[in-house]
Each structure stands twice: as C-alpha cells, then as structure tokens.
C-alpha cells in the first residue's frame, strides 16, 4: 500500500472505525476508572534479604493455588541497585532499543507516514516495558487515550501495570496485593482487555531469578569486606599505663581518641602508646576474587558471556563472546518484532491508526559499520547504476554530474582497488 493510498483513504477509515472507537470508549467509561486507578498501591519492601529469603520467595511464586510474586519482585528490585547487574541488563536492553526500524507494505515499500506515527515517546516506552519481561518474566502494559497533535495520532502514554498486582497464571489483576484471586479483575477479557497488551509467559519468572541469587551472595561478601576493613584496615592505637585511677584511664582514653590525623598526645610518665599495623594480606584474594566470580556469573545469566562488559584475555575469545551476546540481542529483537506485528499493530488499527497492511521490521542496514557500508556501496557501484540521489541524501553532498572516465579504465581501477566513488 503506497503512502498516497494511505493518505487518501484515511478520512474514510476514520468514518469506518468511528463506531468501534466509540464502543471501546463507552466500555472504558462504563468501568468509570482506568485499571491503574483500581489498584491500592503499596511501597516496596526494602528490608534485609538473604538466600533463605530468596528461596522462600521463589517457593511462594511457584504456589499453584495462590501464586504470590511480590516477595520475589522485592528481591529483584533490590538486586537492580547493583551497578554490575544494572549495567549488563542495560547493555542488553539498549542493543534492541537503539535499533532502527521500518514499516513496509506487502510490496516491500516503506511507509514514511506510518513511521512518523511510531517515532514517538510512547513507542519507546512500550518497547522498554516489553523488554523488561525478559528479566522479570511478565509485563502487562496499558495504553492511554488516543490524542492528536501536529504530527498525527498518538497515545497519551503507556504505563506498566504494577507487577505485584498481576497474577498471570490466572489472568487477573488484584486491586490489593492481599486480595483473593477470585476477586481479581480479568484482563484477558472484559472492558479493560482492549487497552492492554500482555508480554511474557504466565509461568516465567525471568532471568533475574538466577541473577538475584548471585547478587544476594555478592551483597553479603561486600558487607563482610566492609567489616574486615573496619577491623583491620586502620592501625590500632594501644595505650598502656601503670595507673589504675579511673580518672587517669578516662583521660588517657580521651587522649587516644582525639589523636586523629594530628597524631600528638600529652601522656603521663610511664605510659606507652603503640601503633599496631595489620599483618593480614589475603583480603583481596578472598573478597575481591569472590565478587569477581559472582559478577561473571550474573553476566552469564543475563548476557550469556562476560567479555563485552569485563576485560577479555584475547581477541579470539572476545570475538566469540561478542557473537554470543549478539545472538542473545537478536533473539530479543525477533521477539519484539513478533510482538509488534501480532499485538501492537492490531491494537493500533482498532484505535484508528492507519496501519492496515503494514509490517514492522528492524532496519538491518543500521547494524553495519561505516566501513562495511562503504564496501557494500562500492561493490554495488561496480556492477549496477545507482541513482546519485541516494548519495546526496545519505552524505548530504551535492552531486552535479559523473566524473569523466572511460568504462575500461574505471573497471580496471575498480578491480585494483584504486577507484573510489567517494573521492
């Protein structure tokens, strides 16, 4: 479907879908509230957590009759404060969020008008929430009202339904986390269903299940290292005196306490002050190596390798690890592409967006390095006639006419690698 056809049919499309949108709006207003407004939100639990807490929370999430993910999600929230874990999650998510995309018709032609409707904040937020399902196991996303501006139609926003209120195993939303499942709001059918997109499998607990276990161990090791530093990291001042008078002992204790950085004291005759240095030298090997191992385990769980975020030992190994990372990101991109084509575009069509007959695809050309792109263009120029407008638009360079050169010389220089069409 061409852009011209889409533009001309747009008013007719509005009339055709007006009744559908009106019915959807009536369904929503009949509920009197958006689904987010139905929920009694509570503060996350940031109390101390350990491996026993993690195991109990996992068991509660696996309960068949009354699955409860809230305790496990509290651990997930706590674990994402860790710099290494948040870094590897951000690295994998960013690879997909930074990809270029396009909308094509059944003939493979790009639709610029439809692309403009997708290049908005709401679409980025939708992708971000959808990608989070890989780590959390599930995301339920609600779309706001359809509004218009100078660029066309858009959603007023998208927001994530708080995961603690969602029971994906039964397809319901709890107004309060403590409610019984039978009191929940069904979201796969009913008045809220047209405004929601579900991402993830009902029984999936996400990659953070594995990574959070390593985080809890790492947090404990860091706490033990802090205790070690507190006890052995600073020299110990020992004051010895022959006096048994409490007043003299109190004065000496105050003197030692106030020595600080100035390192001077007025002491009584017969009093000794000794500085004790720690002789323990294995703290680095014990604590730092353990933290490094836990970081690598989290990297393997999230990005399936370690060298794209840690230092690699060799070029061949780093290339292998990079390939594994690229495969994981490619799987994420493919999952998002299926989600957009199967769920998002049909939802947009129901709300009147001109997306009928269009397919979402990632733009693989943006994944090429500049040198790879130039080499591809050089090969195409060798065998085909390319419209100069392509280079004008891409490189923003005005082209007046081809450089005078006979075909035989051009072909020879091209084979020898001496002909540069960008010179």
């Amino acid at each position: 479907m061409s852009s011209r056809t889409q533009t001309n049919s747009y008013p007719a499309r509005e009339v055709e879908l007006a009744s559908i949108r009106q019915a959807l709006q009536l369904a929503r207003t009949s509920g009197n509230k958006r689904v987010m407004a139905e929920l009694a939100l509570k503060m996350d639990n940031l109390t101390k957590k350990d491996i026993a807490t993690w195991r109990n929370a996992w068991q509660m999430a696996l309960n068949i009759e009354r699955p409860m993910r809230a305790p496990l999600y509290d651990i997930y929230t706590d674990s994402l404060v860790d710099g290494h874990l948040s870094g590897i999650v951000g690295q994998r998510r960013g690879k997909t969020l930074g990809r270029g995309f396009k909308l094509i018709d059944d003939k493979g032609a790009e639709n610029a008008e439809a692309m403009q409707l997708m290049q908005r904040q709401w679409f980025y937020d939708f992708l971000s929430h959808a990608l989070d399902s890989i780590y959390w196991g599930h995301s339920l996303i609600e779309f706001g009202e359809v509004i218009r501006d100078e660029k066309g139609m858009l959603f007023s926003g998208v927001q994530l339904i708080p995961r603690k209120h969602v029971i994906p195993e039964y397809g319901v939303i709890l107004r309060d986390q403590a409610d019984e499942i039978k009191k929940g709001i069904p979201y796969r059918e009913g008045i809220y269903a047209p405004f929601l997109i579900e991402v993830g499998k009902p029984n999936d607990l996400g990659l953070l299940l594995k990574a959070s276990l390593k985080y809890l161990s790492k947090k404990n090791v860091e706490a033990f290292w802090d205790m070690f530093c507190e006890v052995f990291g600073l020299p110990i001042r020992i004051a010895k005196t022959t006096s048994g008078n409490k007043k003299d002992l109190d004065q000496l204790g105050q003197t030692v306490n106030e020595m600080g950085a100035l390192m001077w004291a007025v002491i009584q005759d017969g009093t000794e002050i000794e500085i004790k240095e720690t002789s323990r030298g294995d703290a680095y090997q014990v604590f730092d190596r353990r933290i490094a191992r836990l970081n690598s385990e989290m990297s393997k769980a999230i990005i399936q390798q370690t060298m794209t975020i840690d230092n690699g030992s060799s070029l061949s190994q780093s290339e292998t690890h990079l390939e594994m990372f690229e495969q994981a990101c490619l799987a994420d991109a493919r999952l998002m592409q299926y989600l957009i084509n199967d769920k998002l575009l049909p939802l947009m069509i129901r709300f009147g967006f001109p997306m009928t007959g269009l397919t979402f695809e990632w733009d693989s050309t943006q994944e090429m390095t500049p040198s790879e792109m130039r080499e591809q263009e050089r090969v195409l120029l060798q065998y085909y006639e390319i419209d100069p407008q392509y280079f004008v638009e891409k490189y923003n360079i005005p082209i007046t006419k081809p450089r005078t050169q006979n075909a035989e010389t051009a072909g020879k220089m091209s084979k020898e690698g001496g002909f540069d069409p960008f010179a």
Side-chain angles (χ1 to χ4, degrees):
M1 183 181 298
S2 65
S3 299
R4 181 180 299 274
T5 303
Q6 290 250 354
T7 303
N8 292 340
S9 62
Y10 183 77
R13 181 167 197 65
E14 283 293 309
V15 175
E16 179 183 350
L17 296 173
S19 59
I20 299 177
R21 295 200 308 274
Q22 198 171 30
L24 292 174
Q25 184 62 28
L26 180 61
R28 166 167 274 181
T29 54
S30 65
N32 197 27
K33 296 179 180 179
R34 298 182 62 196
V35 67
M36 276 292 292
E38 296 274 359
L39 309 183
L41 302 181
K42 296 181 179 179
M43 185 171 57
D44 290 339
N45 183 3
L46 298 180
T47 57
K48 184 178 179 180
K49 303 171 182 64
D50 54 21
I51 294 178
T53 307
W54 174 87
R55 185 169 294 278
N56 291 334
W58 185 18
Q59 187 67 61
M60 294 173 69
L62 295 177
N63 189 301
I64 297 177
E65 295 181 357
R66 178 59 169 90
M68 183 180 296
R69 301 190 181 197
L72 192 61
Y73 285 158
D74 283 332
I75 297 176
Y76 289 4
T77 300
D78 197 9
S79 65
L80 286 174
V81 177
D82 181 75
H84 183 84
L85 181 56
S86 63
I88 56 181
V89 169
Q91 186 183 56
R92 180 166 170 177
R93 291 174 76 255
K95 187 71 174 179
T96 302
L97 289 173
R99 287 176 180 264
F101 63 89
K102 55 187 176 180
L103 291 165
I104 61 173
D105 59 22
D106 54 0
K107 296 181 180 178
E110 294 187 30
N111 189 308
E113 293 180 5
M115 278 283 295
Q116 189 177 28
L117 298 178
M118 297 282 280
Q119 293 170 335
R120 310 298 290 261
Q121 178 70 40
W122 71 263
F123 180 63
Y124 183 91
D125 293 340
F126 168 77
L127 275 182
S128 183
H129 292 319
L131 284 169
D132 281 344
S133 67
I134 298 171
Y135 312 101
W136 293 78
H138 188 270
S139 292
L140 185 61
I141 306 168
E142 183 180 41
F143 288 77
E145 304 296 336
V146 177
I147 59 177
R148 294 179 180 275
D149 63 8
E150 65 280 0
K151 295 182 180 179
M153 304 174 65
L154 73 155
F155 289 106
S156 60
V158 296
Q159 57 183 337
L160 180 74
I161 303 299
R163 292 187 173 90
K164 292 182 181 182
H165 291 260
V166 180
I167 310 295
E169 293 87 348
Y170 289 88
V172 298
I173 303 171
L174 302 181
R175 293 178 175 85
D176 188 282
Q177 298 175 27
D179 284 349
E180 297 180 7
I181 293 178
K182 62 182 180 181
K183 295 182 179 179
I185 306 170
Y187 64 79
R188 292 177 184 146
E189 57 185 16
I191 62 173
Y192 297 116
F195 309 95
L196 299 169
I197 285 184
E198 182 179 18
V199 189
K201 297 180 180 179
N203 297 305
D204 188 7
L205 297 177
L207 296 180
L208 286 176
L209 177 67
K210 302 174 183 177
S212 61
L213 174 62
K214 303 303 177 183
Y215 158 75
L216 291 174
S217 181
K218 176 184 174 181
K219 183 177 67 171
N220 290 334
V221 173
E222 289 177 334
F224 297 151
W225 200 354
D226 287 342
M227 294 171 59
F228 182 93
C229 292
E230 184 179 355
V231 175
F232 299 105
L234 295 174
I236 302 174
R237 297 191 292 269
I238 300 177
K240 299 178 181 180
T241 180
T242 58
S243 175
N245 186 283
K246 185 177 184 304
K247 183 178 180 181
D248 293 340
L249 294 175
D250 291 342
Q251 182 180 357
L252 183 59
Q254 183 179 357
T255 300
V256 173
N257 187 53
E258 294 176 354
M259 286 173 64
L262 298 179
M263 294 300 292
W264 68 273
V266 177
I267 58 177
Q268 298 175 348
D269 186 28
T271 300
E272 297 180 8
I273 296 180
E274 184 180 359
I275 304 298
K276 286 288 186 180
E277 296 280 356
T278 177
S279 60
R280 303 297 301 273
D282 59 350
Y284 177 84
Q285 294 295 325
V286 173
F287 296 108
D288 193 73
R289 288 176 65 86
R290 176 59 178 162
I291 290 174
R293 175 59 61 89
L294 292 168
N295 282 342
S296 68
E297 291 297 313
M298 287 191 285
S299 295
K300 292 172 186 176
I302 300 297
I303 56 177
Q304 301 183 8
Q305 45 80 43
T306 59
M307 288 189 180
T308 62
I309 198 165
D310 298 320
N311 292 329
S313 58
S314 70
L315 177 61
S316 59
Q317 285 182 335
S318 62
E319 289 177 343
T320 301
H321 282 232
L322 178 60
E323 183 178 354
M324 296 170 62
F325 173 66
E326 294 287 354
Q327 288 297 323
C329 295
L330 182 61
D332 294 348
R334 186 174 292 114
L335 175 64
M336 293 299 102
Q337 181 172 330
Y338 294 155
L339 173 68
I340 293 167
N341 285 321
D342 294 344
K343 294 186 177 181
L344 178 60
L345 291 183
L347 181 144
M348 295 177 69
I349 292 172
R350 289 198 302 270
F351 280 97
F353 286 79
M355 298 291 174
T356 302
L358 299 181
T359 302
F360 177 94
E361 287 186 0
W362 296 108
D363 189 356
S364 59
T365 59
Q366 295 191 7
E367 299 176 10
M368 296 184 182
T369 64
S371 59
E372 290 173 339
M373 180 63 71
R374 287 195 297 270
E375 181 60 29
Q376 183 186 63
E377 291 169 348
R378 184 172 285 109
V379 172
L380 290 173
L381 284 166
Q382 182 178 352
Y383 296 102
Y384 303 98
E385 293 183 0
I386 306 298
D387 186 353
Q389 190 62 28
Y390 167 79
F391 297 101
V392 172
E393 295 177 354
K394 182 172 182 180
Y395 297 100
N396 196 25
I397 299 175
I399 298 177
T400 57
K401 61 180 180 178
R403 187 171 55 185
T404 303
Q405 191 174 31
N406 63 65
E408 182 180 353
T409 304
K412 180 180 178 181
M413 294 184 68
S414 177
K415 291 179 181 179
E416 295 175 354
F419 173 63
D420 188 354
F422 307 104

